[in-house]
Amino acid sequence: MGCGEGPAWDREDSLYFTDLENSRIHRLSLDLGEVVTVKEETGRTNGLAWTADGRLLLCEAQAGQLGRWKPGSAESEVLAVHPMEGRKGGPHDVSIDGGGGIYYTVPGHGRIYRVEPGHVPGEPASTWAEVKGVNGVLATTDGHRVFATQYKDRVVRVFDVDPKTGGAVNEREFARLDPGVEPGNHGADGMCLDAEGRLYVAGPGHVWVFDAEGREVQRIFIGENATNVIVIGEHLYITGRTTLWRCVFAGR
């Protein structure tokens, strides 16, 4: 496997994740432990997220668009194109809140974009927030907050979502990864939350775990740079530069 990314669970037996370097999407059977390739030539698709109607959102970096794909179908459709032609980069990470609001990052723009429910497919998304060096994004299920990682600075920021306008308000620093951890060229990457409100952040050689107040409570060493994370039941799945990892939560 090349660089793994974008773990997304279908709420049944399958965990989908991307192989960024080889432009593929793989599916892991949680019961059998078998991995199969389900889509090729994805245009360096990175982040994934499931919609309520069973389709995968694809951060199609090469094409500069957010795609939507039904597993088993030949092609994805364009859900949103991001504006500002001529600026670097394409969609990188994506997250959906409980109300169907979609957030995705374009690191080359330093922005988070929001796709509203009812968005017309193929139309540009709207800028939601500007975050220098943005990488990962995570919207809470209740739709009240959105987390974003600043890759090089190894910082996690959090925004509140204005209940009236849906806009970004009350931006603040939530947590910070240890800046002294090597290798120095890898930063704060993808994130997930568990049922107790702990935030897991993929980073250099480890996954950092923070409590609901942003205090570091654990650091999970995996021996290679972690790119993204997802909690499924009693397990934490971690995508890395070469490996998909599974950790068992002790005492649960």
Side-chain angles (χ1 to χ4, degrees):
M1 183 178 82
C3 180
E5 257 288 5
W9 178 39
D10 70 353
R11 301 290 173 179
E12 295 182 358
D13 178 51
S14 297
L15 175 66
Y16 288 70
F17 61 99
T18 59
D19 180 341
L20 178 63
E21 293 176 358
N22 296 303
S23 289
R24 295 171 180 163
I25 298 176
H26 303 299
R27 183 183 70 231
L28 167 69
S29 168
L30 301 181
D31 288 340
L32 301 178
E34 296 177 350
V35 176
V36 297
T37 301
V38 295
K39 188 171 177 58
E40 299 191 68
E41 299 180 2
T42 65
R44 293 181 63 82
T45 288
N46 195 323
L48 305 174
W50 285 101
T51 63
D53 61 358
R55 289 182 285 183
L56 268 176
L57 297 181
L58 314 178
C59 288
E60 298 177 335
Q62 209 165 58
Q65 63 195 29
L66 186 68
R68 187 165 54 185
W69 176 64
K70 182 73 173 177
S73 60
E75 302 294 335
S76 62
E77 66 171 335
V78 179
L79 177 59
V81 293
H82 67 78
M84 302 192 305
E85 292 183 11
R87 298 192 65 172
K88 285 186 186 178
H92 183 81
D93 197 14
V94 61
S95 184
I96 308 176
D97 65 27
I102 299 167
Y103 300 84
Y104 71 88
T105 59
V106 179
H109 295 180
R111 293 186 177 186
I112 302 171
Y113 292 92
R114 177 177 164 92
V115 180
E116 302 285 350
H119 176 84
V120 177
E123 291 295 314
S126 301
T127 299
W128 189 74
E130 297 194 10
V131 183
K132 180 183 177 182
V134 70
N135 186 291
V137 65
L138 177 66
T140 58
T141 302
D142 61 15
H144 293 170
R145 292 185 298 167
V146 174
F147 295 91
T149 53
Q150 292 177 288
Y151 186 80
K152 289 184 179 179
D153 293 338
R154 297 184 179 177
V155 169
V156 182
R157 307 198 71 77
V158 65
F159 298 82
D160 294 329
V161 180
D162 189 307
K164 294 181 179 179
T165 67
V169 295
N170 194 25
E171 177 187 357
R172 59 208 180 272
E173 182 176 313
F174 178 80
R176 185 177 289 265
L177 279 59
D178 186 344
V181 173
E182 293 294 333
N185 62 348
H186 191 77
D189 214 318
M191 300 168 285
C192 70
L193 286 163
D194 68 13
E196 286 74 40
R198 289 181 288 261
L199 182 72
Y200 297 74
V201 184
H206 303 72
V207 173
W208 273 255
V209 188
F210 300 97
D211 67 14
E213 302 302 319
R215 296 180 292 253
E216 183 180 333
V217 294
Q218 189 178 6
R219 198 179 298 184
I220 303 168
F221 175 75
I222 64 168
E224 72 170 343
N225 291 330
T227 59
N228 218 321
V229 285
I230 187 171
V231 173
I232 304 175
E234 303 300 313
H235 299 96
L236 175 69
Y237 290 85
I238 307 164
T239 54
R241 289 295 183 184
T242 62
T243 310
L244 176 66
W245 302 81
R246 184 180 70 175
C247 300
V248 180
F249 291 117
R252 287 197 185 183

